[in-house]
Every structure is written in structure tokens, then in C-alpha cells.
Amino acid sequence: MDSKKRSSTETEGSKERGLVHVWQAGSYSVTPERLPGWGGKTVLQAALGVKHGVLLTEDGEVYSFGTLPWKSEPAEICPNSPILENALVGQYVVTVASGSFHSGAVTESGVVYMWGENSAGQCAVANQQYVPEPNPVSISDSETSSLVAVRILQLACGEEHTLALSISREIWAWGTGCQLGLITTAFPVTKPQKVEHLAGRVVLQVACGAFHSLALVQCLPSQDLKPVPERCNQCSQLLITMTDKEDHVIISDSHCCPLGVTLSEAQAENQASTAISPCTETLDSQGEVFENMLVGKDLPVAADTDVGNVQTMGGDAISSQQDVVGTTEISSAGNVPSYPDTQAVNEYMAELSDHSGRENSENGEKPVPAQPLVEEAVPNLHSPPTTSTSALNSLVVSCASAVGVRVAATYEAGALSLKKVMNFYNTASCEPGTQAGSSSIGPEGLKDSREEQVKQESMQGKKSSSLVDIREEESEGGSRRLSLPGLLSQVSPRLLRKAARVKTRTVVLTPTYSGEADALLPSLRTEVWTWGKGKEGQLGHGDVLPRLQPLCVKCLDGKEVIYLEAGGYHSLALTAKSQVYSWGSNTFGQLGHYDFPTTVPRLAKVNSENGVWSIAAGQDYSLFLVDTEDFQPGLYYSGRQDPAEGDNLPENHSGTKTPVLLSCSKLGYISRVTAGKDSYLALVDKNVMGYIASLHELATTERRFYSKLSDIKSQILRPLLSLENLGTASTVQLLQEVASRFSKLCYLIGQHGASLSNFLHGIKEARSLVILKHASLFLDSYTEYCTSITNFLVMGGFQLLAKPAIDFLNKNQELFQDLSEANDENTQLMEILNTLFFLPIRRLHNYAKVLLKLATCFEVTSPDYQKLQDSSSCYESLALHLGRKRKEAEYTLGFWKTFPGKMTDSLRKPERRLLCESSNRALSLQHAGRFSVNWFILFNDALVHAQFSTHHVFPLATLWAEPLSEEAGGVNGLKITTPEEQFTLISSTPQEKTKWLRAISQAVDQALRGTADLPPYGSGSGIQRQEPPISRSAKYTFYKDPRLKDATYDGRWLSGKPHGRGVLKWPDGKMYSGMFKNGLEDGYGEYRIPNKALNKEDHYVGHWKEGKMCGQGVYSYASGEVFEGCFQDNMRHGHGLLRSGKLTSSSPSMFIGQWVMDKKAGYGVFDDITRGEKYMGMWQDDVCQGNGVVVTQFGLYYEGNFHLNKMMGNGVLLSEDDTIYEGEFSDDWTLSGKCLLKHKTF
């Protein structure tokens, strides 16, 4: 941060920021210590390894502390105080990371520096045990340009590997192990390589555990999703299964292909090529189904109930089966299967059996014998398929006895998938010629060899289902959507129809891709991908198998994960709703819960009242930074607890039962926590002048607001949309519009909450706040939502919901009370619903309040103060404006209720608001009849004049109102001018006259402004114009004028008349586009008249005067004739040229000459191309009349008098042979009377 640009207050406060406090892991009751030997520099980020750590300061410097065995100087190996990494001096570092025994840093230019232990190549240096000083790492992409270095954004380090996230959102890896995600058998990898499996995807963050890796990946836009194949390409199993629950349908696409996992550790190096990228199915999805169905029989479970919080016997049974298969790894033919710890597995299964037996005894059920299952299932992994099938059948029978036939039927489908995995291992390990150390069969060969067997097993699975399901699947196979391929389904057609109906209605709650918001704020549409070793379940796929390449953790889809942390052997995922999902090793309770199994993500039980906004994962513990009521973050510890002093027995190592709140309120405001092996630290800010407290208040309230909006969306909006008989199509459409805008706003708030969490981790400059820099994003979203909800309110949407939603509302009365925080139990449910939907308006007041608090932390003359002050005023103005909009909507709704009827129903529109009406303000029509009834209603878009059963609507955009002067006898009179009518309104008092005039003028002005009625950003309240402009642009359809009836004019107006440029369209297709003056076409314009007989149009381009063609112009007739010349009163008048047809037409001709009243008159030249004659002479009434000359193409020349287009009287005829005839003509070319004939002599 540039210190010159800071205000004095902020500079003073920065001295009390980034303070480092350290705790020893396992002793959470001990008071933290300041980092020994550390000075007063502000620390922005810290990273911890096993025995060392690094600090990143505000000025981009990096310091190391702890045990540093890689240092060349003896004094630096165990320094007393943090030492500066001199190799990075001059390089502005933006982020740091630490592995177990190595460290990394990324500079502002995107260059990576690594140092520390390098035995596994984790520092990207070949053949070197230690890298003592930060060493630049060369990362280049051979696909683009090997000469251009790849710029890096973020770094993550494990024990033996390092991951880097590039500016193009791709992952680069180096080091050793399957946690790299690379397709290679040569370790260590010292030259950074791209993780190709995620190439083309937008990776948002990477995290490294000891031997596993995590990546947060942005979901693909819906249009980029490729059709999913029906079956796995490797093992031919179904990729998607659907299971019927009592009240809803569960779809699982969490298929884990047995070809997508690594071999045993002993064979991993030699046979790594057998592991294909994971693409398919484990039983964790079946476990979720099993749990949901079991609970569903006793408790009502919401549609989006989190299965992570459900602990049942069924889940234990399934997980035990997963662990049996998962811990069993492939071995060569003839060898005994190798288990990581067979005894531990057996003991674990026995413990599960006891646990299950206790549960069943309490429920009065017979315990399920789990131990015989282990003894039978494990040895049979390498037995023929029939033997393993019997083991699975016994499992199904035992399950059926415990939880009923319905659940067992579902479980049998899962057991079938497990049988395929077992049989695959049998076939793969018993293939002739396959030996340890040799390369295994490729996926295509395996597919071919297994194809027939898989078909038989698939059919056998179908036989276990009902015949109806088989027919249903076969009949629907051809018409299925590609995104939902063939389903092994237990679903009845009724439930399928119900599920489909709900889906079509709730799809509106998924906000569409917003390029602007996603570019500025963190995305919430994310997926979690994991790979590496999974012995402790830290990959989250429901098993303990390793993965060579990234695999998506399907059960976290849609959870809106925004940040990932990886501990030694466990993983954490923080969501936008301030919840934490955890999975992996839970030996010491580091997951924050004791739910089972721990191989799939489950919610950590940190604090039921407040949400988590930052997390850290150590070797065997976790840290959770939690929001509190006073906005000062609370730090919770969960994990290893060291034995008390004097007790050195290792058996006394224990863990926390539940996360424990650390006593750190006196330290200040914690902005960041970091965890290592034996210690963890926090970066703390002091609250100087309330600045830090205000920032935390803004972030905390925004996160809580998002959680509340999410609850409203999922628990209220979604069920409402799924109800039957919601009313008319327009009502449903309005509700869907509300839901869509609500969802969009909710998503924006979630993004902003995540952005504020990141903001608190950084420098914390107020001017960088998104609600300041991109205020229009928030203003527009809040305004759009308020418009949709007020439209819904005006149309009586809440009243229409009362009847179809009565049961839902009554069942969830407590939920409504909690969400609305209503203290009065007598409040009507529809009122509470109304309050909930208008919650966002209250949030705007909170923005203004907190921004004003932040402004007071700066000097009044500083730019930051002015910016915050202006923003606060802007948000407050918007809040007041939207509050007025709500009152207008409620006033309008009351009007519709007070005056029901056909007339008012026809006037009722979602966007129409009532401003005032004459039933409560005396207003009458001048010169009205004695018994006439005149009712005037002023809306925001029109003035309505109602008389008995008729009414007329005058749009405000084309309405002019002006007061009548007393001299004109218009006491308390208002003159109203519209395009076709003009009338005078008389008010009862001068005050009423003033009120109506102001109301009409403001309404007209607002109508002309359109929807852009908000005050400009930063200007405070808008300045209302005194009166609307006389000259304006508007659109109007005529209804009375005979010439313009039903025609629509769009253009400029002046005092009720079209004046200026505009377009006039008639219903029959006629159109004029050009200039107008006093309501008539005047000036240059274009006119089109369709000719239905010829299916063409007449087209005039030229000048007009007083509504008629006048002056120079070009008229193209539908017949093909074209006139270029002068017009007067819509007729050809003056000099002009008329072309008839073309040379190829039947009768082409051309006339150039004078016209009078649309007829040829005066001198003109007519060229008849068809006859080959040209006439040059006088015309009258469209005929040749008077002196003229005719020339033909045959050489004849005539000069003389014409009458009615014929030669009459004296004339001279010259023939082709130069014979001259002079005399009288009686008809065309007919000689008559005396003449003189001359012949040419030779």
C-alpha cells in the first residue's frame, strides 16, 4: 500500500495491525504469546510447517522463523528471532506458503521462489537435499510458448509436493507422490508440470495436506456441460442411479470406477500406469440414500436435509462395507491380498457390530451380525463371482431384517455395484500372464474382457427389481435426456412426475451466470476436487483408496464452497453460508464432530448460533474463526489435546469432544489464523477509532444476512413454488419473477460476504470495498428485486397465496417467526411473509450506517471520508426510495380492494401505481352535465377519466397540464391537453388545485424519465424538476382523429402535437418517417404505402408541407413507375421526370417536362421506347396538344400541330428517303387537303 496516499488516521491505525500471537497446539487453555523477537512490522500473511514458519509483511518482505536445518549458516538454523530472506529483498512478495519442511513465495510479477528441504523434489530442484535460500522456479507451458514464463497467483505446499495456481487458472505441480495429480511414474518431478486433468477448468484455489491435494473449481456454465454417457467407459457400470424415497427422489451420480484408483503402495511405482483417471462410482451415495430412507420413516426430512448430520445404523453398515473393500488393494496373481492393517479393520468392524447391536436393542430389533460379514467378505475378494455374490446376498438379508424390505431393495442395488468392483478385482488379478511389476492391461482390453459379464450382472440386478421398473427403463431409454442417462431406478411413475414438476418450478431459484458479478466477486458455483493418498478418508469420496488424478467430491456440489484447507490427514471446506464441512482423520476430534463415517464430508458442529468465516487445518487439529454478537471474531480449537504436566504416558493423548472457544477476546480482532504441527498463530488488529470493528460489523452482518436469505429461499420460496393451484398464470409468473430476482440478489450477497472475508485477510483499505467501487452492481440488484416484489404485492400476490399455502404456512409457523424475528405471536402469517420478502430494504440502511461509521475514522478533508460519506448517502437514498415504492404499492393495493369491479380490473397492471384520485380530492370537469359523474384517477403512467361504465386512459407521456389564469376566468382550473382532446378540470380550492397540478406534473416528469428514477451515484437526493418539458419524446396511438385513427406515432411532441422528428405507422401498413410540425408532416420525410393488389408498396422520399407532399421528391410506384420532380398538395406539380418500366419491361417509357395538378401540361419530352418514338412539344391534361415534333426509329420526322395526341392541321413530314411532305393532316400520318411533295433527286 502506498503510504503517501493514506490519511493520517489510517496510517496511525496500521501500526496496530497484523500483530502475531502464537499458541502451542494441544494446550488451548494456555494464553497465547507474542512471536519471540518479532518487531512491529504489519504482517499480512503467515504460513507454518512442522517446526518452522514464514511471515509476509505489509511491504512485501518475507521472514522465516523456527528450526531451519536447510540454512547454510549455523546461526540461522535455530534463530532467536525471525530472519529476513535476503534473496527476496527487492522482490515484492504477495503470498507465501509452507509445507512440512519447505517454504514458497510468489512475487507481484507471478514468479515462484522455493526453499527448504528438497529430498522429494518439492522445491523443484534436481539432486539436492536442501535449498538454503529462496530459489526462483521456472514454470513454462510448452503448449503455448516455452519461452514465456507462466505467472502464478497462489501456492500450496504439502510434505513432499507443491502446487501452484497460475493466472490462467491452471494447476502446476512438482515433488513426489500421487498427490501431484500427474500422469507419470518418474519421481521426483523437479520440473513443474501442468495437472492436465483439470486443464480448461477455472480453478479458484488449491490446498495441500501432507499427502493429498484439494482444488476449488468453478462449475461449468450450463451451456458448456457435455452429454454424460450412460455407462462408465472402463467398467460399464451405470454412471447415475435414482432411488425412491417416501416423499422425494434421490439421484446419485457418484460412481467410482475401480480403474480410477491406484495400486498398493508396494506396486504403485511399477504399475502406476494401470490407474486411469477416476470417473465413476463408490457406495457413499448409496450410504446417503440408506440413511435418508431410514430417517425418513420416523422424521419429516426437508428436501435439502444435510445427510452429513444423520448418523444411523444403516450408514455404519454401509461404511463398514466400504472400508472393507476400500482398504483392500490389488495384488498380483497367487499372492495373498495385502491390507494396510487387517487386524485394525477386524477390530473396527467388531466395534461397529457392537454399536449397531446397541442401537437395535434400544429399538427392540434384532442386532445385525457384522463380524461374520467380515470373515466371509474379505477372503472372498479373490474367489469366483458366485461366492462373493452369496456374501452380498447375506448382507442384503441381514439389512432387510434390520430396516425392512423397502430399504433392503434399495441397498441391493448398491450391493450389486460393490459386487462388480469385487469381480473386477478378481478378474484383473487372475488374468493369465499378469505378474507383479509388469504393465497391466489397458482400459480397453479390460472393457472387452468384462463386457459380457457386466451385461449378465446388470440383467441380474434388474431381475431383483420389479418388472415395472425394467419395462419403464427400457421404454424410456430412447427418449431420455442426455444429461440424465439410463437409471437403475426404484421410482414409481407418480413420484417421477412429482419430482419433474417440482424441478421445473424450482429451476428459477438457480441464478443465471452473471459475468459482471463473477468477474468482481468470488464465485459460489464451485466444485471440490481431491486427489492423492486417501488412507484416512481425507479425499472425501467415501472410501480410503488413493487417487492418481483429481476426482470431484460430488456430495459438496451445490454447497457453495468458497475456501479449502488441508490438514495433515484431514480436509476442511468453508461455505458461503458460514458452515464447515470436514472429512478424513478424526483421531483427536479435529473434524469438529464425531459423526460417522468420516470418509465423506459432514458438517462440523462448531457453534450453533454463529457462523464460521475463516478456517485453518493443522497436523491433527483444526481452527475455526467464528462471528460473534459483538462482531469480534471468536477462535475455536478442535483436535489434539496434550497430556497434563507430569503425565508423560502417550495413551493420555486425547482430543476435544467438541470445538473449544479460546480465550482471546483481549488480543483484539483476529483477521487470520494459520496452523502447523505443534503451533498455530493468529494475526490480530487493534481497533483504532472503531475502524476495524466497523469492517468486521459489515462483514459479519453481510454473512448473516446471506444465511437468512438462503434459508428464506430454500425453506419458504422453494416450497411455495412447488405448491399446486397457485392461481392464474400471471400470478405464477410474477412469483417466479420474484423468486428469480430474490435468488439473484441472494447470490450477490453471498458473493459479497465471501469477498468481505477475503478483504479482512488483506490490507483492509476502505476505498477497496466492493460496495464503494462497484456500487451500481448492488443498487441495480436491490432495485430490480424491489420492483418485482412490489409488482407482486400490487397484484394481490400475498392474498392469492393464502389459500394454496395455508397448510404450508401453518406447519411452519415457528420457522416464519424465527426468520422474521417477530416477537408478537398474534401476527398474521401473511404479514410475516410480507415482512420477510421486504427484508433487503432494511439491509440498505445497514450499509449506509456502517459506511458512515467508517467515514468518521478519517479526517473530514480526506478523499476516503468524502467517498464513504457519498456512498453512505447513496445507499440511504436508495433505501428511502425503495421504502416509498413499497408504500405506493400498498396504497395501490388498498385502492384495488376498495373499488373492485370490471373497470378497475381492466386497469390493474403489475407496474401501475396509484398517486391520487378525485373521490377524496374534489375535482370536476368544466361544463359537465348536471347529473354526470366524472371520476379522475392519476396513476404513475396514465390519467384515467371514468364516466359511469366507460372510462378513457390518457398516457402521461403525452399529457400536458397547465394552470388557467384568473383573467381567463379559470379560477382553480387546470387545462389538460392530450393529442386528441383538451379539457379543463376545476378543483374545489386553490390548495387542491396546487396539489393536483404538482401531482400531475411530477407524475408526467417521472413517466418521461422512465425507470431511471434513482438519484445518480454519489449525488445524494435527486433534484425534482418544477414542471415537465413542453417538448418531449413519446409514443402514442391515436383513437379519434379520422386521418390518424389507430395509427401510432413515436417521436418528438410539442404541446400535444407531433413536432420534430418522428415515425407514424398506420395499421394497414402505411408509414411516414420524417419531420413534423404542429401535428402534420412538414419537412423532409419518407412515406410508404402498401399495394395489396401488386404485393408491393408505393414509396415517396422528399419534402412535405402541412401534411402533404410539397417540393422536391422521388415517388416510386408499386407498378414500377418512378417520378422525380416537384410536388404540391400530394400531386405532381412543376418540372419532373417520369420513368415507366425498364428496357426489359413490356412498355418502357420516359417523360421529362412540366406537370400541373398531377397531369402533364406545358412543354415536355416523351420517349416511347417500345414504339421507338419520341415526342417533343406541348402538353395539356396528359395529352399532346399544340406544336410538337415526333421522331421515330424508322427515320420519320414530323413537325406540326397536335390535338388530343394526334397530328392535326399543317405540318411537315420527312421520311427516311428524304421525301418531304408539307400540308395538312387529318389523322395520324393521314394526308388531307393540299400539300407539297418533294422527292430526293440522284
Side-chain angles (χ1 to χ4, degrees):
M1 181 170 61
D2 189 353
S3 59
K4 294 180 181 179
K5 293 183 180 179
R6 292 191 217 144
S7 68
S8 59
T9 306
E10 191 176 354
T11 305
E12 181 184 351
S14 65
K15 296 177 183 177
E16 299 296 327
R17 295 189 200 167
L19 306 179
V20 184
H21 294 267
V22 183
W23 287 262
Q24 293 302 312
S27 55
Y28 47 77
S29 59
V30 178
T31 305
E33 302 173 353
R34 295 293 293 269
L35 184 64
W38 179 243
K41 286 195 172 184
T42 299
V43 176
L44 289 182
Q45 185 190 357
L48 295 175
V50 172
K51 295 182 179 180
H52 80 290
V54 292
L55 302 175
L56 173 63
T57 65
E58 188 179 27
D59 51 7
E61 294 179 338
V62 177
Y63 291 79
S64 296
F65 62 94
T67 303
L68 313 174
W70 48 85
K71 290 294 183 181
S72 54
E73 296 293 331
E76 295 181 346
I77 293 178
C78 293
N80 296 325
S81 61
I83 59 172
L84 176 65
E85 295 293 349
N86 292 312
L88 292 174
V89 173
Q91 302 287 337
Y92 188 87
V93 176
V94 293
T95 184
V96 292
S98 283
S100 297
F101 304 101
H102 70 293
S103 304
V106 180
T107 66
E108 193 175 30
S109 58
V111 179
V112 175
Y113 286 80
M114 302 295 302
W115 66 99
E117 185 176 314
N118 187 49
S119 57
Q122 57 264 54
C123 290
V125 178
N127 305 319
Q128 191 172 328
Q129 177 72 19
Y130 294 112
V131 178
E133 300 295 332
N135 179 64
V137 177
S138 174
I139 304 177
S140 59
D141 192 348
S142 58
E143 294 181 3
T144 55
S145 173
S146 57
L147 300 177
V148 179
V150 175
R151 294 183 61 187
I152 299 301
L153 287 176
Q154 188 226 332
L155 207 60
C157 301
E159 188 159 319
E160 295 182 347
H161 74 298
T162 304
L163 299 181
L165 179 61
S166 72
I167 197 170
S168 57
R169 298 295 178 178
E170 295 176 318
I171 302 176
W172 295 79
W174 58 92
T176 299
C178 62
Q179 62 268 30
L180 295 182
L182 303 175
I183 308 175
T184 182
T185 58
F187 296 112
V189 176
T190 56
K191 179 176 174 56
Q193 295 185 24
K194 187 192 298 184
V195 180
E196 295 291 348
H197 197 74
L198 287 174
R201 297 296 299 273
V202 177
V203 181
L204 304 174
Q205 184 219 338
V206 290
C208 292
F211 298 100
H212 71 290
S213 303
L214 312 175
L216 188 64
V217 183
Q218 186 169 303
C219 293
L220 289 171
S222 56
Q223 62 267 24
D224 293 344
L225 293 176
K226 298 178 180 178
V228 181
E230 193 165 312
R231 294 181 179 273
C232 173
N233 291 332
Q234 277 75 40
C235 66
S236 298
Q237 295 181 42
L238 291 168
L239 293 182
I240 300 182
T241 57
M242 179 184 286
T243 308
D244 170 20
K245 191 182 171 183
E246 288 182 355
D247 58 348
H248 64 279
V249 175
I250 298 174
I251 297 175
S252 172
D253 58 351
S254 185
H255 172 70
C256 175
C257 179
L259 295 176
V261 300
T262 59
L263 305 177
S264 62
E265 291 187 19
Q267 301 172 351
E269 264 189 49
N270 297 328
Q271 296 191 359
S273 61
T274 62
I276 312 303
S277 70
C279 55
T280 48
E281 170 175 1
T282 57
L283 287 177
D284 61 315
S285 61
Q286 300 291 344
E288 292 174 19
V289 171
F290 195 80
E291 292 170 12
N292 271 338
M293 295 179 69
L294 185 63
V295 175
K297 302 182 77 169
D298 303 321
L299 301 171
V301 182
D304 49 358
T305 300
D306 191 299
V307 296
N309 289 327
V310 183
Q311 180 177 1
T312 66
M313 184 280 297
D316 293 344
I318 293 171
S319 303
S320 67
Q321 188 182 14
Q322 290 173 345
D323 291 342
V324 172
V325 181
T327 54
T328 306
E329 296 169 330
I330 303 173
S331 59
S332 59
N335 291 341
V336 179
S338 60
Y339 305 106
D341 192 347
T342 306
Q343 183 179 356
V345 172
N346 292 334
E347 291 174 356
Y348 188 58
M349 294 300 295
E351 180 183 346
L352 285 181
S353 177
D354 295 340
H355 176 66
S356 303
R358 285 194 301 272
E359 285 191 354
N360 292 332
S361 299
E362 293 173 2
N363 296 331
E365 297 177 350
K366 185 178 178 180
V368 181
Q371 188 61 34
L373 174 63
V374 179
E375 296 173 356
E376 186 175 17
V378 173
N380 283 336
L381 282 174
H382 290 272
S383 61
T386 54
T387 311
S388 62
T389 304
S390 64
L392 293 163
N393 290 338
S394 66
L395 171 64
V396 172
V397 172
S398 63
C399 287
S401 65
V403 296
V405 178
R406 174 182 168 79
V407 176
T410 305
Y411 194 77
E412 190 171 359
L416 176 64
S417 300
L418 177 60
K419 182 182 70 174
K420 294 179 184 178
V421 176
M422 291 179 173
N423 289 341
F424 169 76
Y425 284 136
N426 295 340
T427 308
S429 59
C430 298
E431 286 283 346
T434 305
Q435 298 179 358
S438 63
S439 60
S440 298
I441 305 173
E444 292 301 323
L446 287 172
K447 180 181 177 182
D448 295 337
S449 64
R450 292 281 298 147
E451 187 175 1
E452 189 61 31
Q453 186 176 354
V454 169
K455 284 182 180 178
Q456 294 174 359
E457 291 171 356
S458 178
M459 199 61 213
Q460 184 180 352
K462 288 185 178 180
K463 289 176 182 177
S464 67
S465 304
S466 67
L467 291 176
V468 176
D469 292 332
I470 298 177
R471 293 193 207 100
E472 193 176 306
E473 183 175 351
E474 290 174 350
S475 64
E476 292 178 358
S479 60
R480 282 193 196 101
R481 289 170 42 190
L482 289 174
S483 59
L484 192 63
L487 307 175
L488 183 57
S489 171
Q490 304 283 342
V491 187
S492 66
R494 179 183 60 81
L495 285 176
L496 280 173
R497 287 194 296 271
K498 180 179 177 183
R501 180 176 63 249
V502 172
K503 185 175 182 181
T504 56
R505 288 218 177 136
T506 57
V507 71
V508 73
L509 293 184
T510 303
T512 55
Y513 176 76
S514 174
E516 184 181 5
D518 279 350
L520 300 173
L521 298 166
S523 176
L524 306 187
R525 302 181 189 91
T526 56
E527 301 170 342
V528 177
W529 292 66
T530 63
W531 63 100
K533 296 183 180 179
K535 197 171 183 179
E536 300 290 339
Q538 62 264 47
L539 299 186
H541 301 306
D543 54 38
V544 292
L545 299 174
R547 298 293 193 282
L548 279 178
Q549 291 185 352
L551 181 66
C552 184
V553 182
K554 287 294 182 182
C555 56
L556 287 177
D557 285 359
K559 301 298 184 184
E560 297 182 340
V561 175
I562 57 174
Y563 185 72
L564 298 173
E565 271 282 330
Y569 301 94
H570 69 289
S571 307
L572 305 177
L574 176 66
T575 71
K577 287 184 68 175
S578 301
Q579 297 174 322
V580 177
Y581 287 87
S582 56
W583 62 96
S585 173
N586 200 26
T587 311
F588 301 105
Q590 57 262 49
L591 297 186
H593 65 78
Y594 275 95
D595 292 338
F596 189 86
T598 61
T599 55
V600 292
R602 295 184 181 276
L603 276 176
K605 300 175 177 63
V606 182
N607 187 305
S608 59
E609 299 296 327
N610 298 299
V612 180
W613 67 273
S614 187
I615 54 177
Q619 181 78 5
D620 44 20
Y621 63 94
S622 301
L623 302 174
F624 308 96
L625 209 52
V626 177
D627 292 319
T628 60
E629 292 303 321
D630 61 355
F631 310 122
Q632 184 174 357
L635 182 59
Y636 281 77
Y637 175 94
S638 181
R640 171 167 59 89
Q641 184 177 359
D642 291 339
E645 293 184 12
D647 189 357
N648 296 322
L649 295 176
E651 289 78 13
N652 288 339
H653 276 278
S654 62
T656 55
K657 300 291 184 184
T658 57
V660 179
L661 176 63
L662 303 182
S663 177
C664 54
S665 59
K666 295 181 181 179
L667 301 179
Y669 286 74
I670 300 176
S671 64
R672 202 164 192 159
V673 287
T674 306
K677 181 179 185 298
D678 296 321
S679 63
Y680 55 95
L681 62 79
L683 301 181
V684 181
D685 301 323
K686 295 295 185 182
N687 185 27
V688 178
M689 294 185 66
Y691 179 76
I692 297 298
S694 298
L695 290 177
H696 279 274
E697 179 184 353
L698 176 63
T700 300
T701 52
E702 191 76 337
R703 289 188 291 262
R704 288 175 181 168
F705 184 54
Y706 176 65
S707 295
K708 176 164 286 191
L709 291 185
S710 296
D711 290 341
I712 294 172
K713 184 175 77 169
S714 61
Q715 299 179 43
I716 296 179
L717 253 181
R718 197 184 302 274
L720 283 177
L721 283 170
S722 64
L723 293 174
E724 297 290 342
N725 303 320
L726 283 177
T728 62
S730 60
T731 305
V732 175
Q733 185 178 357
L734 284 172
L735 181 59
Q736 289 181 338
E737 178 70 13
V738 169
S740 176
R741 297 289 173 83
F742 185 93
S743 182
K744 180 181 177 182
L745 179 62
C746 179
Y747 186 79
L748 176 65
I749 299 302
Q751 287 183 297
H752 188 223
S755 171
L756 287 171
S757 299
N758 296 335
F759 175 83
L760 291 175
H761 290 158
I763 299 175
K764 294 180 274 293
E765 284 183 314
R767 66 176 73 95
S768 300
L769 286 170
V770 178
I771 55 172
L772 265 68
K773 294 177 65 177
H774 306 286
S776 60
L777 198 61
F778 293 85
L779 299 176
D780 293 344
S781 296
Y782 275 97
T783 305
E784 286 175 5
Y785 172 70
C786 186
T787 301
S788 65
I789 190 63
T790 50
N791 289 348
F792 183 69
L793 174 65
V794 163
M795 298 305 289
F798 290 105
Q799 286 68 34
L800 294 173
L801 280 179
K803 186 176 180 180
I806 187 66
D807 292 337
F808 168 73
L809 297 175
N810 290 332
K811 287 179 182 177
N812 297 276
Q813 192 164 357
E814 291 185 5
L815 169 67
F816 278 70
Q817 295 281 353
D818 292 341
L819 287 175
S820 65
E821 301 175 1
N823 299 323
D824 187 5
E825 295 183 359
N826 298 323
T827 307
Q828 294 292 325
L829 287 176
M830 292 313 298
E831 292 181 15
I832 296 178
L833 190 64
N834 191 319
T835 303
L836 288 176
F837 281 120
F838 280 98
L839 271 180
I841 297 178
R842 285 165 43 187
R843 181 63 186 153
L844 287 169
H845 290 291
N846 296 336
Y847 285 156
K849 173 185 169 186
V850 176
L851 290 175
L852 197 57
K853 281 185 181 180
L854 288 171
T856 59
C857 300
F858 295 87
E859 292 184 5
V860 178
T861 56
S862 66
D864 288 324
Y865 176 87
Q866 193 61 46
K867 183 75 171 174
L868 288 164
Q869 180 75 28
D870 289 345
S871 299
S872 175
S873 300
C874 184
Y875 281 104
E876 185 65 24
S877 298
L878 178 63
L880 296 174
H881 172 79
L882 297 185
R884 288 193 296 269
K885 291 294 181 185
R886 179 183 181 181
K887 290 181 179 178
E888 285 180 7
E890 291 171 346
Y891 178 45
T892 305
L893 177 62
F895 172 76
W896 299 130
K897 287 181 178 180
T898 307
F899 300 100
K902 291 184 178 181
M903 189 269 286
T904 51
D905 286 345
S906 66
L907 294 173
R908 196 168 185 175
K909 293 182 180 179
E911 63 279 358
R912 180 166 281 173
R913 301 289 182 270
L914 175 69
L915 302 181
C916 55
E917 45 93 19
S918 62
S919 65
N920 56 5
R921 290 186 179 179
L923 195 69
S924 59
L925 183 67
Q926 190 181 42
H927 307 308
R930 182 177 179 184
F931 300 103
S932 64
V933 176
N934 294 280
W935 185 23
F936 294 94
I937 312 168
L938 179 62
F939 293 104
N940 61 334
D941 64 337
L943 176 66
V944 177
H945 179 202
Q947 293 176 297
F948 296 105
S949 60
T950 63
H951 69 278
H952 189 76
V953 179
F954 301 102
L956 292 183
T958 53
L959 185 143
W960 285 257
E962 55 181 319
L964 289 178
S965 61
E966 294 184 6
E967 291 79 9
V971 180
N972 302 331
L974 293 176
K975 179 183 176 184
I976 303 297
T977 302
T978 68
E980 298 178 90
E981 290 191 28
Q982 196 174 59
F983 51 90
T984 302
L985 302 179
I986 305 297
S987 58
S988 57
T989 64
Q991 290 77 14
E992 287 293 323
K993 171 185 173 182
T994 304
K995 289 179 181 179
W996 273 94
L997 179 61
R998 184 174 66 247
I1000 294 174
S1001 297
Q1002 290 182 355
V1004 170
D1005 188 42
Q1006 187 61 55
L1008 294 175
R1009 288 173 182 262
T1011 56
D1013 57 343
L1014 298 176
Y1017 174 56
S1019 65
S1021 60
I1023 300 174
Q1024 185 73 38
R1025 290 192 292 226
Q1026 293 298 319
E1027 58 184 32
I1030 297 177
S1031 176
R1032 62 185 70 159
S1033 294
K1035 189 175 183 178
Y1036 178 81
T1037 300
F1038 293 88
Y1039 67 94
K1040 199 172 183 181
D1041 190 317
R1043 184 178 77 92
L1044 301 175
K1045 185 172 175 58
D1046 297 327
T1048 300
Y1049 172 76
D1050 188 0
R1052 298 292 299 174
W1053 296 78
L1054 178 66
S1055 300
K1057 302 291 184 181
H1059 192 91
R1061 182 168 296 280
V1063 177
L1064 184 63
K1065 295 181 180 179
W1066 282 264
D1068 59 2
K1070 292 188 296 184
M1071 185 184 76
Y1072 171 81
S1073 175
M1075 301 301 295
F1076 287 81
K1077 185 176 181 181
N1078 295 326
L1080 297 173
E1081 300 91 329
D1082 199 299
Y1084 190 79
E1086 180 180 359
Y1087 185 49
R1088 296 177 181 272
I1089 309 170
N1091 188 316
K1092 294 182 180 179
L1094 299 177
N1095 199 23
K1096 293 182 180 180
E1097 64 179 13
D1098 290 354
H1099 181 207
Y1100 171 76
V1101 179
H1103 289 82
W1104 296 70
K1105 187 175 182 180
E1106 296 179 358
K1108 297 180 179 179
M1109 293 178 281
C1110 187
Q1112 192 70 24
V1114 177
Y1115 199 118
S1116 302
Y1117 298 88
S1119 60
E1121 293 184 331
V1122 178
F1123 177 81
E1124 300 179 36
C1126 295
F1127 288 82
Q1128 183 175 317
D1129 294 336
N1130 282 341
M1131 294 182 289
R1132 295 168 289 195
H1133 190 87
H1135 187 75
L1137 181 151
L1138 177 66
R1139 292 194 301 269
S1140 300
K1142 297 181 180 178
L1143 291 175
T1144 56
S1145 64
S1146 58
S1147 57
S1149 63
M1150 180 184 295
F1151 173 81
I1152 304 175
Q1154 296 294 319
W1155 297 74
V1156 176
M1157 304 298 288
D1158 217 27
K1159 295 182 179 180
K1160 305 180 188 75
Y1163 182 79
V1165 178
F1166 179 75
D1167 191 354
D1168 189 337
I1169 301 174
T1170 304
R1171 297 176 60 184
E1173 296 180 357
K1174 179 178 287 187
Y1175 170 81
M1176 297 173 284
M1178 302 303 293
W1179 294 75
Q1180 185 175 338
D1181 293 335
D1182 264 345
V1183 295
C1184 303
Q1185 187 81 19
N1187 293 330
V1189 175
V1190 173
V1191 179
T1192 70
Q1193 63 179 350
F1194 305 110
L1196 293 177
Y1197 171 86
Y1198 170 78
E1199 180 179 349
N1201 291 316
F1202 284 79
H1203 180 69
L1204 300 178
N1205 274 342
K1206 297 180 180 179
M1207 295 181 288
M1208 300 289 287
N1210 292 328
V1212 177
L1213 177 64
L1214 175 62
S1215 65
E1216 185 180 8
D1217 58 358
D1218 292 338
T1219 301
I1220 300 174
Y1221 173 80
E1222 295 183 25
E1224 293 185 2
F1225 290 82
S1226 61
D1227 203 347
D1228 276 355
W1229 313 105
T1230 304
L1231 305 178
S1232 176
K1234 297 181 180 180
C1235 67
L1236 175 63
L1237 181 63
K1238 296 181 180 179
H1239 293 280
K1240 182 179 179 182
T1241 57
F1242 296 94

